Amino acid sequence: MLLSACGDPLGLPPATVVNFVDTLALDGLSGTDIVLPSGYDIPNMTKTRTDRAAPFDFAFDIDPSGESRIFPTGALGLGSNAGVRFAEGSFDDADVAPEDGYVTDSALVVHVDSVFVVRSRPIRGGIVPCPFFLGALPRYGKFRVLAIDLQQRRITLEALINVNCGYRGLQTGLPDQ
């Protein structure tokens, strides 16, 4: 009865945060000033410095050969709950985050126009906290690489983040899934 009170058979609370497309830039883990953000925290929709205790779900760097890489936290030795994977099709085609297939222990090599999906670490808090009876759940986001500046060691991403507890929908507007 408690689960059906939320209007969803899984007990998810109604979505309250509208999904929208935004852009963001991250600086490389190496070769940039330590005060510049290299990581991204999906549940809080914030860029983060990776040298602090602030949580993040993935980080960006450029390796010595010039390849741009997206690192889930497990690939950095920081736990393996967050995951990354390439999306099938274009940014617009990626309308629901997949349930599986996320890489947690190695980086994705990305190029301009690469589209990838990120599953955050399971978390109860964030912009939209999960109710106590659901426990900690991941949040999801999709990203498209708009630009990579090898000189500045910076990546610019188009992003859509769904911070609603338990929802995987990656379309603009109020998600229904």
Side-chain angles (χ1 to χ4, degrees), residues 26 36-41 46-50 54-58:
L26 296 174
L36 298 174
S38 299
Y40 194 79
D41 174 2
T46 56
K47 299 185 295 185
T48 61
R49 289 175 51 175
T50 56
F56 61 95
D57 298 297
F58 72 92

Side-chain angles (χ1 to χ4, degrees), residues 28-30 60-69 71 148-155:
L29 285 166
S30 61
F60 163 74
D61 202 14
I62 298 173
D63 71 18
S65 71
E67 294 281 6
S68 297
R69 297 180 181 271
F71 291 86
I148 299 170
D149 185 330
L150 295 176
Q151 297 298 320
Q152 295 291 318
R153 302 184 66 76
R154 179 173 292 150
I155 192 169

Side-chain angles (χ1 to χ4, degrees), residues 77-126:
L78 301 173
S80 61
N81 291 326
V84 297
R85 63 169 285 165
F86 286 112
E88 295 180 19
S90 70
F91 184 81
D92 291 335
D93 291 339
D95 56 358
V96 177
E99 292 187 47
D100 54 20
Y102 293 90
V103 176
T104 60
D105 59 357
S106 59
L108 295 181
V109 174
V110 295
H111 306 282
V112 171
D113 287 328
S114 291
V115 178
F116 61 96
V117 178
V118 179
R119 178 191 67 210
S120 79
R121 70 216 180 272
I123 182 172
R124 179 173 283 159

